[in-house]
Amino acid sequence: MENILLQSADYEPTLPVSEKSNPLTRHIDRAPASSIVKMLQACDAEMFLEKSQTQYQRLLSEEMVKTLMEVAERVRLILKDPQDSLVVLSGCGTSGRLAFFMASGFNRELQRLNYAPVYSYVIAGGDRALFSSQEAPEDDPTLGALRLKKVSEGKKRVLFVGVSCGLSAPFVAGQLDFCLRHPDVYTPVLVGFNPAHQARNEPIPGCTLTFHSVVTRMEELAKTQKAFLINPGLGPEAISGSSRMKGGSATKILLEVVFSASFSRTPVTFNLILQHMRSYEKALDFTYSHSQEIAALMEAAGRSLQCGRQVCYLGWGSLGLLGLIDASECKPTFGADHEDIRGFVSGGYKELGNNEGDLTLMGPEFSISHDDFLDGVLPRLTDDDTVLLLYSDSDDIDKVAKLAHRVREKTSNIHAAYHQTAGDAAAKQDDINKLCSSTIIFTWPQETPERLQHLRELSTKLLLNAVSTGAHIFKGKVFKNYMIDLQVTNSKLYRRAARLMQKLSGHSESECEEALLKAIYQVDKLSEDIATCSLETHTHTAGKAKKVVPLALVCLLSGCSIKEAESRLEQQPIVRKAVEACLKSS
Ligand code: S6P
């Protein structure tokens, strides 16, 4: 029943699916860890609902599978002509990180098969956005087009895959528009998770486009396969608007299915695509069959965050990279500090092969190797910090054991998520088990190595999303199923914050926006100057402030000054409780 409700047009009718709140998680903020995991599982399972249960295209809809087949054929053409052709993957935030993740993963796979690499990526904000929150460039369509032009200079055929889960990022709209204006070279593919009519229609400052207008042009061209739209509905996110969750997972599933199919020696068939998608559905069920262990890990991470300590993911290979990605998302989503949840990957930048190379000198957030962890973090670890090892039987287990020993000398709060294949259990793993206070062992059935790796990655992503989301729920960063301490650093987040304030306070749009601006500029009265500043100035200024939305809400609900609101939030650092107290007394 709930599933039907959340898909129906009259549920939060003004919002696109990607921004709606999910009825399944309405009480996630008060749930114990075991129930949180169950709710996340139910939300993730919605990705694979059949079309008959909903009104929109779904991941497994016939039409969707056919589009994936067509795009795979296009990729195949590019593989045949690597000199003059290119596949460019691009997006902002998580979508850009996954663009990098898949471009580098598939290039590695091509090299292994003795093919030339054909994948490139563009992430809004450049490589620093791979591991840190850079939300502002998302608003710039010109920059998007420029970056695309630069990366594909001199190529005769480019398949451009723009990912915007909410069909909303101006950066991606600019790139798609660029493709549409140069059809001789570029074929645009849009990946997102709203029906086309829900694409964002807000004017973009300084240009005549909206995301919606671009999608409308693409829909027309899609009829003759000059453009492709891959936009199945997934149902609302477990935390409203948190597209890193289902949006990110589905992006990974869809693009892996397409790119893997383009490699296959046999013709791309409907059943091949469908079966591949179903294997991810099984991986999802399999991951959540460890729900009790996931819940225990979530609790450990939550305890660390609640007492102001740290969670560290220490990973190997692509699983380590997923740790970095998960950690970087906590800042815009939960207003977290970059120290709260950190990721480290074995080999650091050497392992990643990103466009801009080693970024370590850019600041502490960019120290991402295990050596950086040993130098900078290990010496101050205590039992209050949580460490999670992420690895599989294809990694060097001796090295994992060695690092586990070093960590164990400082904290007993060490855990592991280990992927192995049935019948291949590593003896050394027993040593690691003994060092860890918990180990989740995922024993996968035999599969081809590439497919197995993709499934393990999805599984790791789900696990990490659950741990970081749950831990921040325990820290009080979620109210009902809304992110209540989100950053307000681009137009999408600003609008989301203003909407949330309206919803929670019942005040008018203008009152809420006024309160938001007061919190951003730290003033009790808005000057003419501030009121007339551009949205870009507001979001830029918001990047320097902390707890903007909680401050704005406390002021709005209690009528107090910014100073007073600050001291209330200091006395009650659990933001959810501080806001609840105001709601009760208002
Ligand atoms: C979402 C994450 C954001 C988004 C980014 C792009 O959980 O925090 O960084 O990935 O805003 O969104 P979209 O809708 O264009 O893919």
Side-chain angles (χ1 to χ4, degrees), residues 150-222:
K150 183 143 186 261
V151 78
S152 51
E153 206 94 79
K155 296 289 176 187
K156 296 199 179 108
R157 191 202 316 251
V158 177
L159 187 74
F160 171 73
V161 183
V163 184
S164 180
C165 297
L167 302 189
S168 69
F171 186 88
V172 176
Q175 295 174 318
L176 293 169
D177 172 65
F178 178 80
C179 296
L180 294 174
R181 285 188 289 110
H182 300 89
D184 45 329
V185 176
Y186 296 88
T187 306
V189 181
L190 169 59
V191 177
F193 304 104
N194 285 319
H197 71 273
Q198 289 182 353
R200 187 174 176 190
N201 210 6
E202 184 182 332
I204 302 171
C207 95
T208 52
L209 302 173
T210 68
F211 208 107
H212 188 272
S213 71
V214 175
V215 172
T216 307
R217 280 151 69 203
M218 282 187 70
E219 278 189 301
E220 201 45 44
L221 290 172

Side-chain angles (χ1 to χ4, degrees), residues 92-95 135 138 163-166 168-169 241-244 332-333 492:
C92 313
T94 303
S95 300
E135 309 300 323
E138 179 168 330
V163 184
S164 180
C165 297
S168 69
S242 184
S243 57
R244 76 191 194 109
T333 315
K492 176 179 76 176

Side-chain angles (χ1 to χ4, degrees), residues 241-262:
S242 184
S243 57
R244 76 191 194 109
M245 303 182 86
K246 282 198 273 195
S249 301
T251 300
K252 183 167 151 48
I253 295 170
L254 287 164
L255 295 182
E256 282 173 2
V257 166
V258 167
F259 298 146
S260 305
S262 69

Side-chain angles (χ1 to χ4, degrees), residues 119-140:
Y119 295 97
S120 280
Y121 70 93
V122 175
I123 177 165
D127 276 4
R128 57 163 60 218
L130 292 173
F131 321 114
S132 70
S133 159
Q134 310 287 333
E135 309 300 323
E138 179 168 330
D139 279 339
D140 192 340

Side-chain angles (χ1 to χ4, degrees), residues 395-404 428 432:
D395 297 308
D396 185 337
I397 303 286
D398 282 335
K399 287 206 174 134
V400 180
K402 216 165 141 196
L403 189 60
K428 201 77 193 165
I432 302 174

Side-chain angles (χ1 to χ4, degrees), residues 143-443:
L143 187 65
L146 276 174
R147 290 281 177 270
L148 170 59
K149 189 169 173 232
K150 183 143 186 261
V151 78
S152 51
E153 206 94 79
K155 296 289 176 187
K156 296 199 179 108
R157 191 202 316 251
V158 177
L159 187 74
F160 171 73
V161 183
V163 184
S164 180
C165 297
L167 302 189
S168 69
F171 186 88
V172 176
Q175 295 174 318
L176 293 169
D177 172 65
F178 178 80
C179 296
L180 294 174
R181 285 188 289 110
H182 300 89
D184 45 329
V185 176
Y186 296 88
T187 306
V189 181
L190 169 59
V191 177
F193 304 104
N194 285 319
H197 71 273
Q198 289 182 353
R200 187 174 176 190
N201 210 6
E202 184 182 332
I204 302 171
C207 95
T208 52
L209 302 173
T210 68
F211 208 107
H212 188 272
S213 71
V214 175
V215 172
T216 307
R217 280 151 69 203
M218 282 187 70
E219 278 189 301
E220 201 45 44
L221 290 172
K223 292 177 188 156
T224 49
Q225 300 191 354
K226 292 196 177 97
F228 298 92
L229 276 158
I230 304 179
N231 61 328
L234 308 172
E237 296 287 356
I239 303 299
S240 313
S242 184
S243 57
R244 76 191 194 109
M245 303 182 86
K246 282 198 273 195
S249 301
T251 300
K252 183 167 151 48
I253 295 170
L254 287 164
L255 295 182
E256 282 173 2
V257 166
V258 167
F259 298 146
S260 305
S262 69
F263 282 1
S264 93
R265 290 182 201 286
T266 49
V268 178
T269 64
F270 189 89
N271 278 340
L272 185 96
I273 299 270
L274 198 61
Q275 267 173 22
H276 195 173
M277 303 265 259
R278 292 256 183 233
S279 68
Y280 286 98
E281 188 181 11
K282 282 193 203 126
L284 194 145
D285 292 342
F286 174 62
T287 305
Y288 282 111
S289 68
H290 294 269
S291 60
Q292 273 184 355
E293 296 144 283
I294 298 175
L297 201 55
M298 184 187 279
E299 277 170 351
R303 278 193 298 272
S304 292
L305 292 194
Q306 274 172 300
C307 65
R309 300 296 304 186
Q310 220 173 10
V311 177
C312 290
Y313 303 143
L314 300 181
W316 278 260
S318 57
L319 307 186
L321 180 49
L322 287 167
L324 284 168
I325 293 178
D326 185 86
S328 67
E329 291 158 344
C330 296
K331 197 173 172 194
T333 315
F334 305 114
D337 189 86
H338 88 270
E339 294 267 7
D340 292 348
I341 301 197
R342 286 191 72 177
F344 298 92
V345 63
S346 158
Y349 290 97
K350 272 193 251 110
E351 172 75 26
L352 300 185
N354 53 313
N355 288 343
E356 296 167 35
D358 195 328
L359 307 180
T360 313
L361 293 178
M362 282 187 168
E365 281 172 89
F366 302 96
S367 295
I368 58 163
S369 71
H370 287 179
D371 289 340
D372 294 326
F373 167 80
L374 291 171
D375 293 345
V377 180
L378 186 78
R380 24 185 193 92
L381 276 190
T382 72
D383 279 343
D384 289 330
D385 299 296
T386 302
V387 174
L388 173 62
L389 306 171
L390 302 164
Y391 62 104
S392 76
D393 51 11
S394 51
D395 297 308
D396 185 337
I397 303 286
D398 282 335
K399 287 206 174 134
V400 180
K402 216 165 141 196
L403 189 60
H405 270 286
R406 303 263 327 250
V407 173
R408 185 66 184 79
E409 282 163 16
K410 302 292 287 185
T411 175
S412 57
N413 199 359
I414 170 171
H415 308 261
Y418 170 58
H419 297 267
Q420 64 180 14
T421 308
D424 280 353
K428 201 77 193 165
Q429 178 54 33
D430 286 345
D431 290 354
I432 302 174
N433 285 350
K434 282 181 204 138
L435 295 168
C436 292
S437 52
S438 81
T439 307
I440 311 183
I441 300 183
F442 296 99
T443 305

